[in-house]
Amino acid sequence: MAAHRCVSSALLVFVCVLSVFTVARSQETTPPGGHGAPATDGPQTVTETTGQTAGQPAAEERRWEATEVKEATPDESAAEEQEAPAADTAAPSAGPRPKDDFQEELVIRPLHSGDIYASFQFRTLWETDFTRENKVSHYRLFPKSLGQVISKFSVRELHISFTQGYWRTMQWGQPYQPSPPGAELWVWFQDSVTDVDETWKELTNVLSGIFCASLNFIDSTNTVQPSASFKPLGIVNVTDHRFLRYATLPREIVCTENLTPWKKLLPCGSKAGLAVLMKSEKLFHSSFHSQAVHIRPVSPTSWELRQTLNVVFDLHTSGQGKREWSLFKMFSRTLTEACPLASSSKIYVDVTDNPQGEQFELSPATPLLSQEVVLGDRRTFSVYDLTQQITFGTVRSLNLLIRWKSSEGDMLRPLLHGERYVAGYGLQTGEIHTLMYNYHPYRSFPVLLLDSVPWYLRLYIHTLTVTSKGKDNKPSYIHYQPSKDRLRPHLLEMLVQLPPNSVTEVTVQFERALLKWTEYTPDPNHGFYVGSSVISSLVPSIVAMDTNITQERPLFSSFFPCKEESSYFVRVYTEPLLVNLPTPDFSMPYNVICLTCTVVAVGYGSLYNLLTRSFQIEEPSPGLAKRLANIIRRMRGVPPL
Amino acid sequence: MLILMTLFSSCLFVSSSNIEDNVGNFFSSGHTNNWAVLVCTSRFWFNYRHVANTLSVYRSVKRLGIPDSHIVLMLADDMACNHRNPKPATVFSHKNMELNVYGDDVEVDYRGYEVTVENFLRVLTGRLPPSTPRSKRLLSDDRSNILIYLTGHGGNGFLKFQDSEEISNVELADAFQQMWQKRRYNELLFIIDTCQGASMYERFYSPNLMALASSQVGEDSLSHQPDLAIGVHLMDRYTFYLLEFLEDIHPASKTNMNDLFKVCPKSHCVSTPGHRTDLFLRDPGSVLVTDFFGSVRKVEITMETINLTSPIMQTEEKSAAYGDLQKETYSFSDQLPVSEIIHQKPKQKDWHPPDGFILGLWTLILLVFFKTYGMKHLKHIF
């Protein structure tokens, strides 16, 4: 009887506990359900129901996750991203849901010299709030290392590129993203930064750790603050050039140790998608290799991270004289799948010069064709969509093959080209010549030339001349900041109008400085590098450019924002210069010390001895008998013999 | 009765083996993490072999478990992407290009001009400027086993860095003493592959140091073999045989230091490798090679559930501020606003006093002069 009562009381207690638990559970499930409803619109009723059914496991997950993670498929996330502007205005109290988006593209452009130009573009969109600073951020597709760098150093825009080789504009045309040889870094800071130089120094050190490059050599002797070039590429409401810093390291080497951390920033790494093609043994065996990271805000609530890799493969060094390119020949890999985290994964092949297939043959054939306006011209592209399984065919792998049939046809000459060289002889003085070519037959356009020369080349600005077609061409804007020895480099910015079909030559004389012996590099006879000049210009375009920024465009055509239809923005980099400074012979100090010490010891020492030595006459030592006699005489107190 | 006896004897046996295990644990290392500092100090293409030496040790150390975050790799010059390299992005250790020690996943922390004596000593002692990133620091503690490998050109008592400066054995010994006083290592293995390498460890005086060198004082370390396609010598002999020895080691192997000392006898190396163990507290025979070249992984599997801390409260976003942001106009900026640039306000010029002021000032001065000294001077001037 008592046992029965015990059992019943235990049962009662158990039922009470269970009811408490269920009540608590239901309380926890209502908030996610409540968040789900106002944030999603009509077509997302599916997600709403899944949200509610996933409420119970979500409630437990909320114990150690600050933000809700929706297990959305890539299509859904893209759909959510498009609905985002509408949804945000409708429900500002929506929970902080990360709506990251990742797109990848590969553009292949066959060049007229037989080489081939491949450009990888990866874009990650990160939805975050600018005002949110100290809260726990949830990183899904955007790499955490870069996100922390942006928030810690109050960076608004960051552009960094590592390049090996020089882009030959006359043979290859214009690149989709230009970059100078070596490393280049330019950063726009937020208005809230108080000491820009200090933040710049810390930022370069942190980036040198992330990218395994010696960016810590960027200091005040190679940093400049341009006053008109390098306007921000992202959205902005006011531009104050006090928050801009630009530096370049022309000597920086690019190798696998820079590619490895770059690949690790991608959401799929190098395991899936287009990034499997990035094998360093093939990428660095090329005429030109450039990898870059661009971070900029594209809307008040989202950041864009673009990672681009441009590579030009040489026909002759890759073996086989046949003029034929395939993915396997270029990258020693073929593609088997798209990155599962990507909302779009496409390959574009430029077939503008091949409308009927008479110049080269592209296989496997693809029905998708698209026309894009890029670099002032309307180009036709064959598109391979890697998110469709049909692209891979029956063999489950995609190996594009481009086989040439005829080698006629010439390239459209690029409208703007720049060159630079050092003239003069000897190790005392010299002259820097910068040439800018305008190949347009009847239109002239303005260019902004930015020159940053290190302090050990002392420029004589009174000898600066700008001539076009033999006549003097006065620039409409000149900004010159003289250098300070060991503190600041020279900065020269000029806005020059280039007359049509002409060559404009900018010359300035300089004198070489003598460095202190500790300032020489371990290999000073190699020479000292002067960074490339930057020529920014609005070049008239052949077709009307698309100024609609909200339209969906492929990544390679939407890098520079377009404000007007008749011209497009282009940036051309000249060659870096290599100048020899008067270099001492570093093997000499040891020899000089030995020689000097010997000369001093022998020459001066003997002279000193001659002058200061006193000579005394010494008696020869007497015989034994005399010595004994002397001893006895000494004892007696009598002077010796 | 018999059963009891057998039970009792088996108990004793088990407990004795337990005691043996405990005794064994008492003599084992007791370190909790592993670090490696691998330095190549030579520049120029003909010193390809020094970079290949360092990279082959890097490769073995990574293979045996030390992660990149615990390796500080310093290469003084770039051989892989050097323009003279016929196969870019590769560094080979065996001729006929059999083994690429550079690989596809390499992180070099200090490269090029950054490899200096000062940076090397700062890494060892931990006295780096505050803005140095984590990957460039040696964040070891008093339970760390550190492997230090140096290679390059050296002489009696010094090692040459980048053809422009040297580090002496006294400096190195003092750096290790600083590390000991700051409790930055538990045990340290120092390997050096240069000419007259034994002179570099002669001056050590800190405890728990073991050192290996490829040649004695007065002897030169020789290189192994050239590759005719690349055109330079690929590896040094000592490191070549060390790499061969390490290729047979796997993370669980029990090879000890005495086997490491026997690597590269005089018949292979031509020089006599040396070692120094008098400062080391444990017997080298009980020290495993993986104590320095591999990494410790202590894994505990548990079946019980663990309750984590209370949930993180998510603070609500201010919708008002959000709305404000959208009201401000944001747009992409013009990349080359020509008219804006031309009419950009010129910089503040230095203030010059107006012209009339200077004229008036001189008139005043003249007047005062003539007033004080009289008008008779005026005719001398005019």
Side-chain angles (χ1 to χ4, degrees):
Chain A
M1 192 57 186
H4 188 72
R5 207 176 301 136
C6 272
V7 164
S8 62
S9 61
L11 211 69
L12 256 170
V13 167
F14 179 72
V15 163
C16 287
V17 164
L18 206 66
S19 59
V20 164
F21 259 109
T22 45
V23 163
R25 277 265 175 91
S26 63
Q27 274 181 357
E28 284 173 18
T29 46
T30 39
H35 274 249
T40 60
D41 284 331
Q44 267 103 357
T45 45
V46 178
T47 55
E48 193 189 338
T49 50
T50 52
Q52 281 188 335
T53 49
Q56 283 208 352
E60 283 163 20
E61 282 171 39
R62 271 169 62 86
R63 263 197 210 132
W64 50 83
E65 264 182 277
T67 52
E68 227 176 72
V69 176
K70 284 236 168 207
E71 296 298 318
T73 60
D75 293 321
E76 262 190 343
S77 68
E80 275 182 14
E81 195 238 315
Q82 280 168 12
E83 299 283 341
D88 281 342
T89 48
S93 63
R97 201 173 313 136
K99 290 191 284 254
D100 292 2
D101 179 47
F102 176 65
Q103 291 176 10
E104 53 178 20
E105 260 177 32
L106 167 61
V107 187
I108 298 180
R109 193 212 287 177
L111 300 169
H112 280 265
S113 50
D115 305 332
I116 195 153
Y117 169 36
S119 171
F120 290 86
Q121 319 259 345
F122 300 96
R123 182 178 85 152
T124 312
L125 266 180
W126 183 34
E127 300 280 336
T128 183
D129 195 357
F130 279 7
T131 59
R132 197 202 285 197
E133 277 175 29
N134 299 326
K135 304 193 186 162
V136 174
S137 294
H138 182 83
Y139 295 97
R140 193 172 145 251
L141 296 177
F142 198 89
K144 181 175 170 184
S145 49
L146 289 181
Q148 288 180 328
V149 162
I150 296 174
S151 56
K152 180 162 183 223
F153 297 108
S154 311
V155 166
R156 199 169 78 201
E157 276 190 33
L158 183 115
H159 302 271
I160 185 167
S161 73
F162 296 97
T163 312
Q164 177 206 61
Y166 174 65
W167 181 268
R168 297 174 201 290
T169 316
M170 294 312 284
Q171 282 119 321
W172 300 340
Q174 293 282 2
Y176 296 121
Q177 287 90 25
S179 52
E184 185 203 39
L185 171 68
W186 56 282
V187 174
W188 275 93
F189 290 97
Q190 306 267 16
D191 300 345
S192 55
V193 173
T194 45
D195 190 351
V196 184
D197 290 317
E198 188 59 42
T199 322
W200 170 252
K201 186 93 192 95
E202 286 175 22
L203 176 66
T204 51
N205 276 311
V206 165
L207 288 175
S208 85
I210 295 177
F211 291 107
C212 289
S214 0
L215 296 175
N216 45 326
F217 284 130
I218 293 179
D219 56 8
S220 63
T221 58
N222 47 22
T223 309
V224 291
Q225 185 185 318
S227 64
S229 311
F230 292 103
K231 295 270 182 230
L233 287 174
I235 56 154
V236 69
N237 57 349
V238 77
T239 315
D240 186 353
H241 278 264
R242 280 184 298 136
F243 295 101
L244 169 65
R245 290 290 183 272
Y246 172 80
T248 167
L249 291 171
R251 187 73 203 270
E252 194 64 24
I253 316 154
V254 188
C255 209
T256 313
E257 65 248 22
N258 304 111
L259 187 64
T260 308
W262 190 90
K263 281 197 284 190
K264 288 184 183 166
L265 295 172
L266 294 170
C268 281
S270 52
K271 309 273 189 301
L274 289 171
V276 298
L277 296 176
M278 293 184 189
K279 288 294 153 197
S280 54
E281 286 179 17
K282 285 288 187 173
L283 282 181
F284 290 104
H285 198 45
S286 55
S287 312
F288 178 83
H289 169 100
S290 167
Q291 63 200 50
V293 170
H294 300 277
I295 302 177
R296 59 176 179 170
V298 287
S299 87
T301 55
S302 65
W303 295 86
E304 177 193 79
L305 164 70
R306 273 194 200 226
Q307 289 179 257
T308 63
L309 195 138
N310 293 332
V311 62
V312 174
F313 291 104
D314 193 271
L315 177 66
H316 302 288
T317 56
S318 55
Q320 280 178 321
K322 267 193 299 178
R323 200 166 157 188
E324 172 187 288
W325 285 105
S326 69
L327 280 186
F328 191 77
K329 185 176 176 187
M330 290 196 277
F331 304 108
S332 68
R333 287 280 186 288
T334 58
L335 289 166
T336 49
E337 57 164 349
C339 175
L341 297 168
S343 60
S344 104
S345 177
K346 294 200 168 98
I347 300 184
Y348 292 84
V349 182
D350 191 335
V351 294
T352 325
D353 302 322
N354 194 35
Q356 315 303 331
E358 70 273 357
Q359 243 202 15
F360 58 82
E361 179 201 321
L362 178 63
S363 66
T366 175
L368 299 167
L369 267 181
S370 100
Q371 282 213 334
E372 309 292 337
V373 178
V374 62
L375 294 173
D377 195 10
R378 175 156 295 144
R379 311 290 290 179
T380 319
F381 296 91
S382 293
V383 185
Y384 294 84
D385 192 350
L386 297 176
T387 49
Q388 310 294 325
Q389 205 46 40
I390 196 166
T391 321
F392 297 105
T394 47
V395 295
R396 303 275 179 88
S397 96
L398 175 66
N399 184 17
L400 284 176
L401 187 61
I402 301 174
R403 200 181 289 123
W404 259 264
K405 292 190 229 171
S406 73
S407 49
E408 284 125 36
D410 43 22
M411 190 181 69
L412 199 66
R413 205 155 60 155
L415 293 173
L416 178 65
H417 176 52
E419 267 179 13
R420 198 178 183 210
Y421 57 88
V422 173
Y425 60 91
L427 288 174
Q428 171 89 15
T429 54
E431 214 173 81
I432 298 182
H433 290 245
T434 310
L435 277 80
M436 295 183 280
Y437 296 85
N438 176 358
Y439 287 121
H440 201 283
Y442 52 85
R443 292 276 300 272
S444 75
F445 49 85
V447 299
L448 189 59
L449 173 69
L450 172 79
D451 250 325
S452 164
V453 179
W455 64 267
Y456 41 80
L457 294 188
R458 303 212 165 99
L459 295 181
Y460 290 122
I461 287 293
H462 70 278
T463 58
L464 175 71
T465 60
V466 184
T467 45
S468 310
K469 287 180 173 170
K471 289 196 297 254
D472 216 10
N473 184 353
K474 192 163 167 357
S476 20
Y477 170 80
I478 301 186
H479 171 75
Y480 174 64
Q481 194 188 46
S483 68
K484 266 196 189 162
D485 270 10
R486 299 177 179 86
L487 271 185
R488 253 195 350 223
H490 297 271
L491 172 67
L492 178 63
E493 268 185 283
M494 292 195 296
L495 185 69
V496 184
Q497 192 80 6
L498 298 184
N501 214 4
S502 68
V503 181
T504 305
E505 187 167 346
V506 178
T507 60
V508 62
Q509 289 180 6
F510 67 87
E511 185 190 60
R512 296 168 217 235
L514 197 61
L515 297 178
K516 295 185 185 165
W517 73 286
T518 47
E519 289 170 348
Y520 287 97
T521 55
D523 52 352
N525 289 300
H526 179 88
F528 289 78
Y529 281 90
V530 177
S532 321
S533 300
V534 187
I535 302 171
S536 323
S537 157
L538 278 173
V539 178
S541 68
I542 303 167
V543 297
M545 300 294 292
D546 195 355
T547 55
N548 189 358
I549 51 170
T550 54
Q551 201 192 24
E552 277 292 314
R553 284 198 295 174
L555 299 173
F556 61 92
S557 61
S558 58
F559 185 62
F560 287 115
C562 221
K563 282 280 187 175
E564 45 172 347
E565 289 188 346
S566 57
S567 57
Y568 64 99
F569 181 75
V570 81
R571 195 170 272 151
V572 174
Y573 290 93
T574 63
E575 301 100 327
L577 300 176
L578 187 60
V579 291
N580 268 319
L581 290 184
T583 309
D585 183 355
F586 287 102
S587 64
M588 281 315 283
Y590 177 70
N591 302 340
V592 165
I593 291 171
C594 289
L595 194 69
T596 320
C597 290
T598 314
V599 164
V600 164
V602 170
Y604 174 71
S606 22
L607 194 68
Y608 176 81
N609 279 334
L610 277 171
L611 291 174
T612 57
R613 197 177 285 167
S614 62
F615 291 92
Q616 292 170 332
I617 299 172
E618 196 175 284
E619 300 277 342
S621 65
L624 185 64
K626 264 208 171 151
R627 257 189 276 152
L628 279 169
N630 277 336
I631 291 168
I632 295 165
R633 284 171 87 97
R634 217 181 310 141
M635 281 195 313
R636 277 171 60 197
V638 173
L641 292 166
Chain B
M1 185 60 185
L2 213 67
I3 300 162
L4 249 141
M5 278 289 286
T6 47
L7 264 169
F8 185 68
S9 58
S10 63
C11 250
L12 252 176
F13 184 74
V14 162
S15 58
S16 67
S17 64
N18 270 345
I19 292 170
E20 265 178 48
D21 279 338
N22 290 339
V23 163
N25 284 340
F26 178 74
F27 281 117
S28 73
S29 174
H31 65 281
T32 56
N33 54 70
N34 283 78
W35 287 82
V37 179
L38 311 172
V39 184
C40 161
T41 59
S42 305
R43 180 162 270 277
F44 304 124
W45 174 245
F46 51 84
N47 290 319
Y48 182 101
R49 59 188 188 279
H50 296 140
V51 172
N53 288 350
T54 318
L55 285 172
S56 53
V57 177
Y58 172 76
R59 174 203 146 79
S60 312
V61 148
K62 255 181 97 156
R63 192 177 52 84
L64 292 172
I66 303 187
D68 268 316
S69 53
H70 282 226
I71 303 177
V72 177
L73 179 62
M74 303 169 85
L75 296 179
D77 201 0
D78 170 55
M79 299 303 168
C81 290
N82 197 317
H83 297 295
R84 287 184 165 102
N85 194 345
K87 305 250 315 164
T90 57
V91 174
F92 293 108
S93 60
H94 288 62
K95 69 174 180 200
N96 300 326
M97 304 186 191
E98 282 165 22
L99 180 61
N100 175 16
V101 289
Y102 195 56
D104 221 7
D105 185 15
V106 58
E107 285 183 19
V108 181
D109 302 304
Y110 287 86
R111 60 181 200 162
Y113 299 132
E114 291 180 286
V115 179
T116 58
V117 174
E118 185 190 339
N119 280 347
F120 174 60
L121 292 177
R122 281 186 185 276
V123 164
L124 286 185
T125 54
R127 293 158 73 163
L128 289 159
S131 52
T132 318
R134 279 184 78 100
S135 57
K136 286 183 164 173
R137 288 180 188 257
L138 178 66
L139 298 164
S140 56
D141 53 27
D142 63 326
R143 291 274 122 230
S144 309
N145 272 14
I146 308 183
L147 166 73
I148 297 186
Y149 177 83
L150 292 175
T151 182
H153 288 289
N156 190 354
F158 68 91
L159 169 64
K160 193 167 69 156
F161 266 70
Q162 294 219 42
D163 212 22
S164 66
E165 48 181 2
E166 300 100 32
I167 184 172
S168 64
N169 49 5
V170 177
E171 281 178 349
L172 197 57
D174 286 340
F176 287 152
Q177 177 64 8
Q178 246 195 72
M179 286 174 80
W180 175 252
Q181 286 181 356
K182 290 167 90 165
R183 300 279 178 269
R184 279 171 69 79
Y185 69 90
N186 174 37
E187 284 167 352
L188 202 144
L189 175 64
F190 175 78
I191 305 183
I192 184 160
D193 187 353
T194 63
C195 304
Q196 308 193 49
S199 61
M200 288 304 284
Y201 61 64
E202 272 172 1
R203 299 293 193 108
F204 289 173
Y205 55 95
S206 320
N208 268 345
L209 290 178
M210 198 191 302
L212 275 143
S214 60
S215 56
Q216 301 292 333
V217 175
E219 283 179 350
D220 285 337
S221 291
L222 301 175
S223 58
H224 185 69
Q225 54 185 338
D227 181 296
L228 296 175
I230 299 177
V232 283
H233 285 260
L234 293 180
M235 284 269 272
D236 278 333
R237 282 175 190 253
Y238 182 74
T239 314
F240 182 81
Y241 291 107
L242 181 69
L243 176 67
E244 257 186 34
F245 172 79
L246 288 173
E247 289 285 301
D248 291 331
I249 309 275
H250 56 89
S253 72
K254 296 283 174 202
T255 336
N256 58 33
M257 280 298 163
N258 284 331
D259 301 322
L260 191 63
F261 295 153
K262 292 200 205 94
V263 161
C264 206
K266 200 166 161 78
S267 54
H268 287 138
C269 257
V270 184
S271 58
T272 324
H275 55 90
R276 182 178 173 175
T277 54
D278 57 317
L279 292 165
F280 207 73
L281 293 177
R282 289 194 288 152
D283 170 40
S286 68
V287 179
L288 299 177
V289 168
T290 50
D291 277 351
F292 291 102
F293 285 88
S295 182
V296 173
R297 281 193 214 95
K298 285 204 157 50
V299 179
E300 257 183 53
I301 301 175
T302 172
M303 291 299 187
E304 51 182 67
T305 49
I306 299 171
N307 270 332
L308 296 178
T309 52
S310 54
I312 303 165
M313 283 293 123
Q314 183 68 42
T315 48
E316 286 297 319
E317 278 184 60
K318 292 193 183 68
S319 53
Y322 197 77
D324 280 344
L325 264 174
Q326 287 182 309
K327 287 189 192 109
E328 288 177 49
T329 47
Y330 284 91
S331 60
F332 284 99
S333 74
D334 204 354
Q335 290 298 303
L336 194 71
V338 176
S339 51
E340 205 185 290
I341 291 172
I342 293 175
H343 296 115
Q344 213 161 314
K345 257 208 150 56
K347 277 223 203 67
Q348 200 78 22
K349 284 209 188 80
D350 293 326
W351 181 79
H352 292 290
D355 299 321
F357 177 75
I358 295 175
L359 208 68
L361 191 71
W362 277 109
T363 320
L364 189 68
I365 290 169
L366 278 170
L367 264 171
V368 169
F369 172 73
F370 287 118
K371 208 66 179 159
T372 27
Y373 295 108
M375 292 296 285
K376 59 183 195 296
H377 290 277
L378 200 61
K379 62 175 186 293
H380 292 285
I381 296 167
F382 291 106

